[in-house]
Amino acid sequence: MKTLILIPAYNEQDSISNTIQDIEGSCSLEDIGYLVINDCSTDGTKEILEKYSIPYLDMPINLGIGGGVQAGYRYALENGYDIAVQFDGDGQHMAEYIENLVAPIKAGKADVVIGSRFLTNEGFQSSALRRFGIRFLSELIFMLCGIRIRDVTSGMRAVNRKMIEEFAKNYAQDYPEPEAILASGSGLS
């Protein structure tokens, strides 16, 4: 299945090269491509993308994470991708897990799969206040949808063609990750 990794980036000059190297070193790029969505960065992000010929969309104004990711979904839709993977450009996620992330979609078992940064106490760990907010949103989503999601703000998620079509038209702007979960409903895994 044709897969596109969408990498939203805003002022990620310190991490974008490592993120791309991680993806290139961990993914079979025969059926997987990647695209950075440069959300009007004011640092050297765009220059790094150009220097290393990294494929990117350059937003004319800062759209925020929701608008940037939606632009990526539009690109995926218009270019015939079957799966889109959101993979933040800030180095919080490890590309070695992308294959596991897309496996349920390839098997037809899920429309949406969300990776978690918090399954172990290794790697990225957020502040106590942020973790409280994530737990609160997790409980709220569970009450509304009956789905238990541990990392509702995860910037590592994969969706199938059906959800690419939906998110290309309608993607949350204010709190995009939790709102996308609510919009996805029962298609989550």
Side-chain angles (χ1 to χ4, degrees), residues 26-27 32 94-106 113-115 156 158 189:
S26 299
C27 299
I32 296 178
M94 295 184 291
E96 67 187 84
Y97 295 110
I98 291 175
E99 187 174 319
N100 292 339
L101 190 74
V102 300
I105 294 173
K106 286 184 174 183
V113 180
I114 301 172
M156 183 176 174
S189 173

Side-chain angles (χ1 to χ4, degrees), residues 3-8 65-66 69-70 73 82-89 92-95 97-105 110-118 130 134 137-138 141 147 149-160 163-164 167 171-172 175-185 187-189:
T3 303
L4 180 65
I5 301 170
L6 304 171
I7 308 162
I65 185 72
V69 171
Q70 183 177 19
Y73 284 126
D82 303 301
I83 298 173
V85 176
Q86 179 182 339
F87 192 85
D88 285 350
Q92 289 185 42
H93 307 287
M94 295 184 291
Y97 295 110
I98 291 175
E99 187 174 319
N100 292 339
L101 190 74
V102 300
I105 294 173
D111 296 329
V112 179
V113 180
I114 301 172
S116 177
R117 300 164 287 184
F118 308 128
R130 183 171 170 96
I134 290 169
L137 289 171
S138 177
I141 288 169
I147 301 166
I149 307 292
R150 298 283 181 213
D151 189 358
V152 298
T153 62
S154 174
M156 183 176 174
R157 49 187 66 211
V159 303
N160 66 7
M163 296 311 297
I164 290 171
F167 289 158
Y171 197 74
Y175 302 98
E177 287 89 1
E179 288 183 44
I181 293 170
L182 292 172
S184 302
L188 292 167
S189 173

Side-chain angles (χ1 to χ4, degrees), residues 15-79:
S15 59
I16 196 66
S17 293
N18 289 336
T19 298
I20 298 301
Q21 288 174 357
D22 184 28
I23 290 169
E24 289 178 344
S26 299
C27 299
S28 166
L29 296 178
E30 293 175 24
D31 63 345
I32 296 178
Y34 59 85
L35 178 71
V36 175
I37 298 97
N38 182 35
D39 195 17
C40 208
S41 293
T42 58
D43 66 356
T45 300
K46 182 176 178 179
E47 289 75 16
I48 291 169
L49 298 173
E50 290 175 345
K51 178 179 179 181
Y52 295 106
S53 300
I54 297 169
Y56 71 96
L57 290 178
D58 198 34
M59 301 294 97
I61 60 170
N62 181 272
L63 298 175
I65 185 72
V69 171
Q70 183 177 19
Y73 284 126
R74 285 182 153 177
Y75 181 93
L77 179 65
E78 292 170 5
N79 289 278

Side-chain angles (χ1 to χ4, degrees), residues 11-12 17 34 144-145:
N11 291 345
E12 301 296 353
S17 293
Y34 59 85
L144 294 172
C145 297

